[in-house]
Amino acid sequence: MRRYGYQRVRPQRRGAAFLALVRAWAAGAVVLVLTEYVQATLVHDYVATGPRLDTFGGRLLLIHLPNALCVAPAAWAAARIHREPYRASTPRHLTASFAVPVVAQLFNMAVQWEELAAEGLLLSNAVLVVGCVAGYTGDRLQDEA
């Protein structure tokens, strides 16, 4: 609508930015739950047996690597669903991308706090960082293409 030689712009609704975040978080949560379910039913039930988890390499291969393969698509899905114009804000986009995996990690650590060893704590946090960076990088690469 034109008025006095300038274009009047309708202001965005106040909660639109928050709703865009919630939508991204919901997508990330759904992907994380589905991938973790597949991991728990396939890897943990059939492959990750006691003797295989006794070695560091076994734990890395059967616990931490599959966790990274769950975190990365969750961060990617949340980042892809986060819509414009809110994607242009780097802090908002990072919050949309990383919130679900970080909250899931904090919840997991809180639930298993008494059983956590230093190795598990360090590796699970490293997996979180690697998965989040991989998912975010995948999103940014798709934006450039």
Side-chain angles (χ1 to χ4, degrees):
M1 162 189 306
R2 285 207 167 264
R3 189 174 182 188
Y4 303 112
Y6 64 90
Q7 187 173 5
R8 184 174 166 195
V9 179
R10 178 178 281 177
Q12 295 281 339
R13 293 185 319 196
R14 285 192 139 166
F18 181 71
L19 289 177
L21 282 175
V22 170
R23 184 176 168 211
W25 293 338
V30 167
V31 170
L32 186 64
V33 167
L34 289 175
T35 56
E36 289 286 345
Y37 175 76
V38 169
Q39 175 195 355
T41 56
L42 294 179
V43 175
H44 288 287
D45 289 349
Y46 298 111
V47 181
T49 59
R52 292 181 179 157
L53 294 177
D54 288 340
T55 65
F56 173 77
R59 288 188 298 275
L60 184 65
L61 185 63
L62 297 173
I63 294 174
H64 299 294
L65 183 61
N67 281 340
L69 295 175
C70 293
V71 170
W76 173 81
R80 291 309 303 163
I81 295 296
H82 194 227
R83 65 185 177 135
E84 290 290 346
Y86 311 109
R87 285 176 73 88
S89 169
T90 302
R92 284 184 184 167
H93 195 56
L94 289 174
T95 302
S97 304
F98 299 159
V100 170
V102 168
V103 168
Q105 174 73 4
L106 292 173
F107 178 74
N108 189 24
M109 286 178 11
V111 169
Q112 297 179 359
W113 185 251
E114 294 177 3
E115 301 170 7
L116 276 179
E119 172 193 315
L121 182 65
L122 291 173
L123 280 176
S124 63
N125 285 320
V127 161
L128 174 70
V129 170
V130 167
C132 285
V133 168
Y136 185 76
T137 303
D139 172 58
R140 286 301 180 190
L141 288 174
Q142 281 187 316
D143 283 346
E144 291 176 4

